[in-house]
Amino acid sequence: MIYESKHPLVRHKLSLLRDISTDTKQFRELVGEITMFLCYEACADLEMEPIPVTTPMEETTGEALTSKIGLVPILRAGIGMVEPIWLLIPNAQVWHIGMYRNEDTLEPVYYYDKFSGEPTIDIALLLDPMLATGGSAIAGAARLKEWGVKKIKYVGLIAAPEGIAAFHDAHPDIPIHVAAIDSHLNNIGYIVPGLGDAGDRQFGTA
Ligand code: PRP
Ligand code: URA
C-alpha cells in the first residue's frame, strides 16, 4: 500500500522543502514538521488498550498504546526524522541503520546496525526521506525482518515510482507513507523534481 499525504499543510511545507533557496536550518525544520504529520497519519491504526484514569472529577477509562514502537532511521538522512517523532512518541526506541548508496552502481552499502537477540519492538517505523531506486529501504526492511520484527511501516518524504515498485515487489506487506510521489529518477538516480540530496541539505554538506 502507498499512502501519499493529501494534507494541505504537508503539501505547502513540501513546496518550501523542495525550493533550492531554502537554507539548511529551514530545511531541517521542514523535514521535522512534515515528518510529524506523516507519522501522525502512519500511526492511525496503532493498537490501544483501555486503562483506568482518575480525573479530578471521577474514575474513568482512558486508552494507552500497547505496542513497543521502534524508530529506525537510515543514516544519514533519516536522522532528521527522529526528534520530531520523539515529540509525538517520547518512549519510542531508536535503532539506527548505517547505509549509503554507491553513487556509481546505486546499490546500498550496509555498514552499521546493533540488532541482536530477540527484537525489543513490536512495530518499526523505517525512516528515510528519499525512496529513489528503493535499494536502501529494501535492504533496511530486510534486516529488520531478519531481526524478527513482525510489523514495519516505511515513512519517507518523497518517493519515485521506480522505488515504490521495487519496494512493493520486495516487501508487499510493508506500507509506504510519503508526502509525495514524484515523476521519475534521472540518469544518476536522483528523484525528479525531488529536492536534491536530502542528507547534504539537512547537514549543510552540499
Ligand atoms: C540517500 C537517501 C536514501 C537513499 C535513497 O542516502 O537518504 O538513504 O539515498 O536511495 P535509494 O532508494 O536509491 O537507495 P545517501 O546514500 O545519499 O546517504 P546519506 O543519507 O548518507 O547522504
Ligand atoms: N537520495 C537523495 O538524497 N535524493 C535523491 O533524489 C535520491 C537519493
Side-chain angles (χ1 to χ4, degrees), residues 9-23 26-27 30-31 33-34 194-195 201:
L9 292 178
V10 171
R11 312 216 67 74
H12 177 86
K13 287 176 187 295
L14 181 67
S15 301
L16 298 172
L17 188 77
R18 291 183 190 278
D19 194 322
I20 194 171
S21 66
T22 294
D23 68 18
Q26 197 194 2
F27 189 91
L30 288 163
V31 167
E33 290 161 4
I34 296 168
L195 49 71
R201 291 197 67 185

Side-chain angles (χ1 to χ4, degrees), residues 77 101 130 132 185 189-192 194-199:
R101 212 168 60 143
M130 309 304 274
L185 294 179
Y190 273 73
I191 300 176
V192 181
L195 49 71
D197 189 300

Side-chain angles (χ1 to χ4, degrees), residues 74-77 99-101 103 106 128-137 189-190 197-200:
I74 297 182
L75 307 182
R76 286 177 304 167
M99 218 185 308
Y100 66 87
R101 212 168 60 143
E103 291 303 339
L106 300 184
D128 192 336
M130 309 304 274
L131 189 71
T133 66
S136 304
Y190 273 73
D197 189 300
D200 282 344

Side-chain angles (χ1 to χ4, degrees), residues 135-149:
S136 304
I138 289 169
R143 186 69 187 102
L144 279 170
K145 286 181 177 175
E146 192 178 62
W147 188 32
V149 179

Side-chain angles (χ1 to χ4, degrees), residues 170-186:
H171 301 291
D173 54 312
I174 302 181
I176 298 173
H177 294 264
V178 288
I181 301 169
D182 272 9
S183 166
H184 63 280
L185 294 179
N186 69 10

Side-chain angles (χ1 to χ4, degrees), residues 106-176:
L106 300 184
E107 291 295 321
V109 181
Y110 206 104
Y111 63 85
Y112 176 82
D113 70 49
K114 271 197 88 174
F115 304 137
S116 72
E118 288 298 305
T120 57
I121 54 178
D122 303 311
I123 174 165
L125 301 182
L126 182 61
L127 307 174
D128 192 336
M130 309 304 274
L131 189 71
T133 66
S136 304
I138 289 169
R143 186 69 187 102
L144 279 170
K145 286 181 177 175
E146 192 178 62
W147 188 32
V149 179
K150 296 276 180 282
K151 193 163 181 191
I152 304 170
K153 292 169 185 258
Y154 171 90
V155 182
L157 300 182
I158 301 181
E162 296 90 329
I164 295 168
F167 191 84
H168 276 334
D169 271 358
H171 301 291
D173 54 312
I174 302 181
I176 298 173

Side-chain angles (χ1 to χ4, degrees), residues 46-69:
L46 289 186
E47 286 171 16
M48 313 286 296
E49 65 183 358
I51 53 160
V53 176
T54 307
T55 80
M57 312 304 290
E58 65 167 13
E59 301 288 317
T60 185
T61 302
E63 288 174 291
L65 294 168
T66 56
S67 310
K68 280 178 278 174
I69 299 165

